[in-house]
Amino acid sequence: MTGSIVTVEHFIAEQEREYPEATGAFTDILLQINLAAKVISAAVNRAGLIDILGVIGSTNVHDEEVQKLDDYANDVLLNLLRRCGSLSGMVSEEEEGFVHVPESRDPGPYIIAFDPLDGSSNIDVNISVGTIFSVYRKRSDGTRVRRRDLLQPGSEQVAAGYVLYGSSTMLVFTTGRGVHGFTLDPGIGEFLLSYRNLRIPSPGKNIYSINEAYFDKWTPGQQRLVERLRQPPPDAPSFSARYVGSMVADFHRTLLRGGIFMYPGTVAKPEGKLRLLYEVAPMAMICEQAGGLATDGRRRILDIEPEGLHHRVPTFLGAPDLVEMAGRYLADD
Ligand code: P6P
């Protein structure tokens, strides 16, 4: 049994042996994320308890300042990642602008973008939430971080991953060599390898995941696509609809079971809701590394050049046959 215990540290060391070009600089970032995930998981799991203790306004019964969990998760990640000598800077969903890492002698070669706690509004009803992260290599020379360092297409990512705070806490990431999943064992406080080389089942379960409350706001092509999924032709398999309203949970189910996750635009807001840099591009890298497809309905997500730190894109992630079907229906819009 002990032979099967593979921690994140073991796995990274194994990867470094197998791929000598992997540098320790990048390992430092992953290990800080590993630690941040444990700290945030503990806070997320206590969130309900704090409510029971009777939080009053912004201070609790012990007169302690109670942070909103997404602010707390953001602070944890900023403070831990600031210690990484290999980072030049950070982009966070919670920060309007770019966050400089204190300039050491030689600011690090990497940039990280993250959503510290995606879906945090679901915490109050005990629905899974997640952290999403994306790592790029700094493109420009010199110590200053420039716009072109921050706004790189997803194809330039050196790593991407998420932490899912659900019935168990899972860390799933890729460094471009497959997708690997680790499950937190609270008894020993370690993430242990639970999925090596995750592949999205295709054909997998016929599940489509979308918020159908927006049906009347969609384009005709999007409406016809969902009608096709709701009522397939007699000789085609039927579908189930699943939608948690927490992207990390909906995507994780799609990754493990198959199907398609969609957050399309509407006629009024064609760009949709999800942010490219720290939500969609990292999930797209994972999806492709697991054998899936990731588009905005027309373009490959990883080819899209971000127009700003909080640039939104329509999102279609999942099994190749279903993402391609979506593209065919949207082509008529
Ligand atoms: P809607 C959570 O707020 C989030 O950013 C994603 O995690 C999730 O997929 C989406 O928004 C849900 O949005 O409009 O369906 O409530």
Side-chain angles (χ1 to χ4, degrees), residues 2-12 14 182 191-194 196:
T2 52
S4 65
I5 291 181
V6 178
T7 65
V8 173
E9 292 82 348
H10 291 147
F11 184 80
I12 292 172
E14 178 192 295
F182 299 78
F191 279 104
L192 303 182
L193 183 65
S194 44
R196 188 190 287 268

Side-chain angles (χ1 to χ4, degrees), residues 23-45:
T23 67
F26 173 56
T27 300
D28 184 21
I29 297 172
L30 269 184
L31 293 179
Q32 293 305 326
I33 287 172
N34 178 41
L35 176 55
K38 296 176 195 174
V39 173
I40 296 167
S41 177
V44 167
N45 292 332

Side-chain angles (χ1 to χ4, degrees), residues 253-274:
R253 182 201 55 249
T254 305
L255 190 65
L256 266 59
R257 294 282 182 272
I260 184 170
F261 168 78
M262 298 177 274
Y263 203 109
T266 61
V267 171
K269 292 185 179 175
E271 71 280 5
K273 173 181 184 181
L274 303 181

Side-chain angles (χ1 to χ4, degrees), residues 115 118-122 211 214 243 245-248 250 261 263 273-275 279:
D115 184 351
D118 180 75
S120 52
S121 57
N122 289 309
N211 186 339
Y214 301 135
Y243 190 75
S246 180
M247 181 189 193
V248 177
D250 281 319
F261 168 78
Y263 203 109
K273 173 181 184 181
L274 303 181
R275 274 61 58 93
E279 289 174 328

Side-chain angles (χ1 to χ4, degrees), residues 28 59 116 125-126 138 150-151 171 173 175 180 190 237 318 325:
D28 184 21
T59 58
V125 291
N126 209 15
K138 185 172 178 289
L150 299 172
L151 303 181
L171 168 61
F173 68 81
T175 59
H180 311 288
E190 288 288 356
M325 178 198 289

